[in-house]
Amino acid sequence: LGSRTLFQPSPSDLQPSHLDCILSRFLKKLLKLSLRIFKMDFKSFGKNLSDFGAQITPFASRTFQFTKEQFGQAEDKTQLPPDYIDLEKKVDALKQAHQKMLAVTSQYSNEAYDYPPNIKETFQDLGRTVSEKVSLLSSATTTAEAQAALVAPPSAKPQPKTFSHAVARASLASSQLLHQNHTGAGEDQLATALEKYAITMERVGEARLAQDSQIQSSFLAGWNTTLNTNLSFATRARKNVERSRLSLDAVKAHAKGTTFKLGHGGSRTEQHEEQELSPEAQEEIEKAEDEFVTQTEEAVGVMKNVLNSPEPLRNLSELIAAQIEYHKKAYEVLSELAPVVDGLQTEQEASYRKSREEGS
């Protein structure tokens, strides 16, 4: 272009009334110049863009086809078989079921999922097990020794933060408060019952930890494997099908000269009678069709394997078995404790009636 200008306005044209006209004339000249440089007009723009999309890398070709579909510019989109679509829906449902269940049951990996957030326990409280503290307390001969047993130095591993363990520790501490302030003859039945209850609740807490460990190794591990491995394979296979479909439709569109329509004033599909495809184009389409069929068959096989796998149901059965074992253990240890506490209650009631009779 050299030093030539697109448009040189005269001094009279610089008046405000001529500004719109100046801008319009300038844009028209710039547009004509651009069209001459690129040697194309709006009618051929869509065709050139379509050819470009089909000639570059397969990824770009698929992306171009996908973009056309999103803008409603694609014609004769290859449809997936109804059975395939039905399998996709079932796989999606299975994936969502895994995600929903794991969102909740993953709490079994969190030891403190039932630990009360409002209580405050010190390092001394968590230093030893209830059983260890009871053993130390049984050998204490003075109040000072008993207090020292309760605040013994922490062991290497802090005690579990579960609801049952917290109840056990609170029960033992309450028992010692009553023991230390008991002045009457004989034992304090409530203090004794609380100590025995503390030992029992610690056993319940240990059973809960055993349940959690079993659930983690069986149910959670199994369902995470299905979600992150088996279902991921199905997702990858489905993506391969979608890629092969886009490639097939891109090849068909290029062979038939389908263009990208840019609005009402833009390019449009060239108006010509459909011609017979060349042998090269037909061969390219058949190759893309074979790839599409192959990927579809592979995806169907992968999805059926995921849907027919017995693992999710087996893992659920193991979850239930772990819960049964926990509740069974809790029932057993509490059943052992109940008659002992009932006996202490009977003794206390008898003592209470006797004291009332002596006082009357």
Side-chain angles (χ1 to χ4, degrees), residues 248 251 281-293:
L248 171 59
V251 170
Q282 186 63 41
E283 181 181 357
E284 189 175 1
I285 291 176
E286 291 177 356
K287 182 179 179 181
E289 287 177 342
D290 291 341
E291 177 65 16
F292 173 65
V293 171

Side-chain angles (χ1 to χ4, degrees), residues 58-93:
F59 172 77
S61 181
R62 291 193 301 268
T63 303
F64 179 73
Q65 178 66 24
F66 176 79
T67 303
K68 289 203 301 181
E69 292 178 2
Q70 295 302 305
F71 283 94
Q73 301 294 317
E75 299 178 0
D76 300 328
K77 178 180 177 181
T78 301
Q79 300 298 318
L80 293 166
D83 291 344
Y84 179 89
I85 296 176
D86 184 57
L87 284 175
E88 282 191 317
K89 292 179 180 179
K90 291 179 179 179
V91 169
D92 287 339

Side-chain angles (χ1 to χ4, degrees), residues 299-319:
V300 168
V302 172
M303 288 191 289
K304 284 185 176 180
N305 286 337
V306 173
L307 293 172
N308 296 331
S309 173
E311 288 303 313
L313 191 54
R314 180 184 296 118
N315 299 148
L316 181 61
S317 177
E318 292 170 340
L319 166 65

Side-chain angles (χ1 to χ4, degrees), residues 320-337:
I320 296 172
Q323 291 175 320
I324 290 175
E325 183 62 25
Y326 161 58
H327 290 290
K328 179 182 178 182
K329 184 66 175 179
Y331 172 79
E332 289 175 352
V333 296
L334 288 170
S335 296
E336 293 175 3
L337 175 65

